[in-house]
Amino acid sequence: LIVEKNAYLEKIQVELQSKIDSLAEELKAAEFESTSCIEQELLATSEERDLLKADAAEKHEVISELISENNHLIREINELALWKEETELLVKRGDQELLASNILTRRIVDLEQELERYQTKYRKSMKALAGMEEALLTVEKQRKKLVKKKPSPNITALVSCDTGCFEEDSSLDGITRKDSKGSI
């Protein structure tokens, strides 16, 4: 009777161990699949962030060029305005001087209109840059929210880059950047 009970207990123990091993394999497979999915999402988010940064850098470069052109035009307009004042004093001497003044005045008006066009371009570029910065901030805020809700220590250990580690919040399907100290 004891031998039968021992045999029965061993049989149950073997079945339980088999079930435990099976569940451990399933858990390992699910964890690997989840990690793979998270890594793909991290890569996509990283690429999107890099594109946004590149676009913002491009916009910043265009804005810098427009500022430089704007400053050049302002200097030129100021010089022409001074020249115009001097010319207006000489215009009183004759018709030829009047003609020169009219030409100069027209040039100043043209430059002022050109300046207005450049200033309009500058404002549009600033709005575009602000939009890009807002998009970058939104992405960063979303990442912060995701880390606060449910950080995954497995992903932090697996994926890293020069700016820090990335982590997924599976409840919101998002990705968050963490620095090497674990802070957001």
Side-chain angles (χ1 to χ4, degrees), residues 78-158:
N78 288 336
E79 289 172 10
L80 289 173
L82 289 173
W83 191 65
K84 178 186 171 191
E85 287 175 14
E86 292 172 5
T87 304
E88 287 174 346
L89 294 174
L90 299 173
V91 168
K92 295 177 184 175
R93 293 187 185 150
D95 290 336
Q96 285 184 331
E97 293 170 349
L98 180 60
L99 178 62
S101 176
N102 289 336
I103 292 171
L104 180 61
T105 302
R106 183 64 208 157
R107 177 68 180 139
I108 289 173
V109 168
D110 290 345
L111 287 171
E112 287 172 345
Q113 290 172 348
E114 190 173 336
L115 175 63
E116 286 179 23
R117 284 193 305 274
Y118 279 111
Q119 287 174 337
T120 301
K121 285 182 182 179
Y122 173 77
R123 284 190 294 275
K124 287 180 182 178
S125 295
M126 288 301 289
K127 286 180 184 176
L129 180 59
M132 295 303 299
E133 289 173 344
E134 183 176 324
L136 285 171
L137 287 174
T138 302
V139 167
E140 194 62 32
K141 285 179 182 176
Q142 182 64 26
R143 287 187 182 139
K144 287 179 181 180
K145 287 179 184 177
L146 294 173
V147 166
K148 287 180 182 177
K149 294 217 177 202
K150 186 178 180 186
S152 173
N154 294 335
I155 300 308
T156 303
L158 291 176

Side-chain angles (χ1 to χ4, degrees), residues 35-73:
T35 300
S36 175
C37 214
I38 290 168
E39 287 174 350
Q40 289 175 355
E41 289 178 13
L42 282 172
L43 180 61
T45 301
S46 178
E47 289 171 356
E48 181 182 349
R49 184 189 65 199
D50 291 343
L51 287 174
L52 288 172
K53 281 184 178 180
D55 193 38
E58 247 180 68
K59 300 283 188 212
H60 184 66
E61 187 176 314
V62 168
I63 289 170
S64 295
E65 289 174 9
L66 288 173
I67 289 172
S68 177
E69 289 177 32
N70 189 26
N71 290 338
H72 174 74
L73 288 172

